[in-house]
Amino acid sequence: MRADKKLILATLSLLLAGSALASTDPAMDAKVAELQAGWAHVKYEVKGEDAQLSGMEALAGQAKTVTAAYPGKAEPLIWEAIILSSEAGIKGGMGALSLVKEAKAKLETAEQIDPTALDGSVHTSLGSLYYQVPGFPIGFGSDKKAKVYLEKALALNPDGIDPNYFYGDFLFRQGEYAKARDVLNHALAAAPRPGREIADAGRREEINAVLAQVETKVARR
C-alpha cells in the first residue's frame, strides 16, 4: 500500500462514528440515522476495497441529498463529512486529499451552525482529520489543532466511545503511552449506543488494536 494512502486511510477509520441523535426534527433524525447505519455497514461489514469504495460513494451521494434537504442544519453536514472522509481513506492518493478538504470545509460550516450537535462530533471529526491528514505542503494536518479539537470533543462528551478512541489514538501517536492506555480503556468502558451495535463493535476492535500497540511500546521501555 502506498505511503500516502496509509496516511489517509485512518481518516475516519473516521472517522468517526457520530453520536446519539437528539435534534428537534424527527424526519431529519431518521435520515441521518440511515446514513449512520449505512456507514457502519460499509465500514465494518462490506469486504474488499472496491466494494467499500462503491458503497461509500453511494452513501456520499445520499448524504449530499440529505444535506441539501436540510440547509442550515449541522447534523447532515457532519455525516456527509464523515462519509467523504471514509471514502478518502479507501481511495488514497491526491483524490483522497481533495475529499478530506471538502469534508473539513463541511465540518467547519457545521461547527459555525452548532458545535454541540451530535454530542460535539464535529470536534471529534475535525480533530481526527487534523492528526491523520498529512501536514503542509501536502495537506492541512496539524497536531496542535488536533489536540485542541479532541479536547473540546471530550469536554462535551467525556464518556463517549469515539472521542476517547480518537484522543487515545492521538496520544499513542504522540508517544504518550501511559495516558493513551488510560483514555483507550475509558473508551472501552463506554455505554453501548442503542441502534449502533455494528459501529460499537467495530470501534471496540479498533480500540483493542491500538491498545495492543500501546502495550508493546510500554513493554519495550
Side-chain angles (χ1 to χ4, degrees):
M1 187 180 294
R2 296 192 311 272
D4 58 353
K5 187 170 182 179
K6 286 182 178 179
L7 285 168
I8 297 173
L9 189 59
T11 41
L12 287 277
S13 161
L14 253 242
L15 236 166
L16 274 197
S19 301
L21 300 172
S23 83
T24 56
D25 190 331
M28 183 189 72
D29 289 348
K31 294 293 185 182
V32 174
E34 288 179 13
L35 297 178
Q36 288 180 335
W39 176 87
H41 169 65
V42 175
K43 169 69 179 171
Y44 295 116
E45 295 185 322
V46 172
K47 305 301 180 184
E49 284 192 1
D50 289 344
Q52 282 194 327
L53 182 57
S54 295
M56 285 300 176
E57 288 173 341
L59 273 176
Q62 182 181 342
K64 184 176 182 180
T65 299
V66 176
T67 299
Y70 296 96
K73 296 292 187 178
E75 293 86 349
L77 281 166
I78 292 169
W79 267 97
E80 185 178 359
I82 289 171
I83 292 164
L84 287 170
S85 298
S86 296
E87 181 185 344
I90 301 165
K91 182 175 289 187
M94 296 308 294
L97 282 171
S98 67
L99 286 170
V100 293
K101 287 178 181 178
E102 183 181 357
K104 174 175 172 284
K106 291 183 182 299
L107 289 168
E108 288 170 342
T109 300
E111 183 182 21
Q112 292 174 358
I113 295 169
D114 182 3
T116 67
L118 302 177
D119 291 337
S121 290
V122 66
H123 299 313
T124 308
S125 298
L126 279 169
S128 65
L129 283 177
Y130 272 119
Y131 83 81
Q132 296 182 85
V133 171
F136 181 84
I138 297 173
F140 56 82
S142 166
D143 288 344
K144 182 178 180 180
K145 290 182 178 180
K147 187 173 187 292
V148 170
Y149 274 111
L150 292 170
E151 289 180 348
K152 283 183 179 180
L154 280 172
L156 285 168
N157 188 16
D159 298 322
I161 190 171
D162 288 333
N164 279 284
Y165 163 65
F166 284 105
Y167 189 48
D169 185 51
F170 171 74
L171 291 169
F172 166 68
R173 295 174 189 228
Q174 296 296 304
E176 297 185 44
Y177 303 128
K179 188 173 181 181
R181 180 167 52 191
D182 289 344
V183 174
L184 290 166
N185 279 319
H186 192 58
L188 283 178
R193 295 174 293 184
R196 305 296 310 284
E197 291 81 7
I198 295 171
D200 282 352
R203 184 65 79 216
R204 290 179 194 283
E205 288 185 8
E206 292 168 338
I207 294 166
N208 281 317
V210 180
L211 272 171
Q213 295 180 71
V214 170
E215 296 301 342
T216 298
K217 293 290 186 180
V218 170
R220 289 176 179 173
R221 286 190 163 185

